[in-house]
Structure formats: structure tokens, C-alpha cells
Amino acid sequence: MMQPILYTGAMDAETLYLMNELTQAERVTLGCWKCMHGFLDGIPVVIVRTNQGMANAAASTALAIERFQPCAVLNQGTSGGHAPDLHRGDIVIGARVIHMTAVRTPDRERGAGIDVESAQPLGLEIANTESGDGRKMTEFFADPALLRAAEQTPWAEGRVIKGTIGSGDIWNNELDRIYWLHTNWGTMTEEMETAASAQICTAYNIPFLGVRILSNTAVHGESFDESTGVKCQKFARAVVAQYCNTN
């Protein structure tokens, strides 16, 4: 039997549909995180509700990897739009993920003021058991096979594009900041878990992909719609089926 695929999502709205669709479902104890495993379309899968935020995402992803030894990880869920040509219900395949709140600011004397636009991405250390410091990364790229499967997945319920997902323990509502992040760092949408999961998967050398649906976008004044979480889960399910059928 193949190793399972690990799905992660932060909220019930991002995981319950998948959990309810499982066959031979079993709930397991994974620290303090909700976790189910079973089969989806004949494929062994594990589904973890990570809860919100980078620390939750990193810790629960690491525990799930240690427990279940998945062959791939797909982080999916809702997000807030950055790109002006995207609207609520559109899906972003995360070819690239960047940690928006891991930044280094320039030297400034007391009284010189604050300039948030001067911050540069800060390299995040990839954990390892060797002596010395680990390598550092400012961005994470999707596994090519998972990315290809996502691009080839038919989807009739909205627009699907490939781009950059921004992650961080922050909820941006300032339109100028959103515009700056999109223009300078290429973010198409933002959320609070993907970069942390990507960092952990990089450390474990496990194929990773982030997929995010726009549940809201301040750019267009479109408020949060929880039902988009189910649509993203359905798309993620189709991506995994496509991935397993072609690899």
C-alpha cells in the first residue's frame, strides 16, 4: 500500500468536508490537534486540522509527518486576495510561497522613523541533525509533480491560476500594504499557515503544495464567505486524484 497523502487545513471549514468523505475513517490522537485517517477515492489519506497560525501549522505538520510518513503534503484552505484581477472563489495554486512576516529591517538611528516598505525577506533556517547552522530559505517552491497535477486538474467552479501565496501571522487590511506586497513580492493572496508547512516539509524532504481559495478580498470589498472552504477541499481532492493517477 502506498504511503498516505497528508491534507492540512486550519479550520473545520477547511477540513470537515474531507473528513466526512473518508471511508474506513479513524480518528487518532495527534498531540492537541484534530486528525483523521482513512481512504478518499481509494487513496490512503491523513487529514489534520492544524488550527490557525504559523506555530500551529508547523507543529501539527511535523507531528503528522513523524506519525504517518506521508508521501506528499497538500496544505489548502481559505485566504484573502491581493491581486486586483482575482475575486472571491478564485483559486491560487502556490507555485511559490513566501513568509510575509519573516523580515529584516535596515539599520536606522533613533528618531529616523519607521519604513515598513524597506523590510527585506528574512531567510528561515531549515532544521537538520548535522552540526552547524542549517541552510536558510526566503521562499519555498511547490513540488513539480504536485504542481503539474494541480495545473492539469479540471475545475468548472471558478478561475484557477498559478502564483505566489503569502503567509504570516498577520491579517492585512491596509490596501496600500496589500498593493505593496503584491507589487514587490508578487503575492496573489495571503493566509496564515502555508509557509510554515512548506518549511517543515522542506526539512523532511517531502513533496509539498499549497492551494488557496479566495474567501474574501479587501481589494474589491468582498467579505469572508466560509462556504469557499468546501470548494477548496473539493479542488484539493481532485488534485490528489490527478497526482496519484499520473505518478
Side-chain angles (χ1 to χ4, degrees):
M1 181 183 297
M2 67 176 286
Q3 294 170 276
I5 302 285
L6 172 61
Y7 290 94
T8 59
M11 305 182 294
D12 282 342
E14 299 171 345
T15 52
L16 273 182
Y17 164 79
L18 291 172
M19 289 181 175
N20 290 336
E21 289 291 302
L22 288 174
T23 59
Q24 301 180 43
E26 181 181 351
R27 183 163 180 169
V28 298
T29 299
L30 189 69
C32 52
W33 289 279
K34 184 178 180 181
C35 178
M36 301 279 291
H37 74 91
F39 291 85
L40 202 59
D41 306 315
I43 301 165
V45 302
V46 177
I47 304 163
V48 177
R49 188 190 67 188
T50 67
N51 293 89
Q52 296 178 26
M54 305 296 271
N56 276 325
S60 57
T61 299
L63 284 176
I65 289 171
E66 288 285 347
R67 174 74 177 270
F68 297 102
Q69 301 294 305
C71 63
V73 175
L74 199 161
N75 174 272
Q76 51 77 46
T78 58
S79 65
H82 280 195
D85 59 338
L86 295 182
H87 290 267
R88 186 173 53 201
D90 292 337
I91 290 175
V92 177
I93 301 168
R96 173 177 173 263
V97 180
I98 188 166
H99 195 316
M100 298 182 299
T101 51
V103 298
R104 182 190 298 275
T105 61
D107 295 335
R108 287 183 185 276
E109 296 295 331
R110 178 74 172 89
I114 299 169
D115 179 9
V116 296
E117 295 184 359
S118 66
Q120 296 297 316
L122 178 67
L124 300 172
E125 188 170 8
I126 305 304
N128 65 80
T129 58
E130 305 301 320
S131 59
D133 294 336
R135 64 191 173 105
K136 294 184 178 181
M137 300 178 65
T138 59
E139 55 190 355
F140 302 91
F141 294 95
D143 172 74
L146 283 168
L147 181 62
R148 184 167 55 251
E151 291 183 284
Q152 294 173 349
T153 299
W155 186 248
E157 295 191 37
R159 186 181 179 196
V160 178
I161 68 161
K162 180 175 67 173
T164 297
I165 296 172
S167 278
D169 285 317
I170 189 170
W171 187 316
N172 289 305
N173 285 309
E174 298 169 308
L175 291 180
D176 285 343
R177 183 190 293 267
I178 290 170
Y179 175 81
W180 186 89
L181 286 164
H182 172 64
T183 303
N184 291 276
W185 289 6
T187 54
M188 309 298 287
T189 194
E190 70 166 55
E191 46 70 65
M192 300 173 67
E193 295 85 28
T194 307
S197 292
Q199 183 179 356
I200 296 300
C201 289
T202 300
Y204 278 96
N205 196 30
I206 292 177
F208 175 86
L209 177 68
V211 171
R212 291 285 168 166
I213 192 167
L214 271 66
S215 55
N216 56 283
T217 171
V219 175
H220 299 295
E222 297 170 356
S223 59
F224 178 73
D225 180 357
E226 186 175 285
S227 69
T228 56
V230 173
K231 291 182 179 180
C232 193
Q233 290 171 78
K234 289 180 177 179
F235 179 74
R237 178 181 184 174
V239 170
V240 167
Q242 177 73 18
Y243 175 72
C244 291
N245 287 335
T246 56
N247 288 277

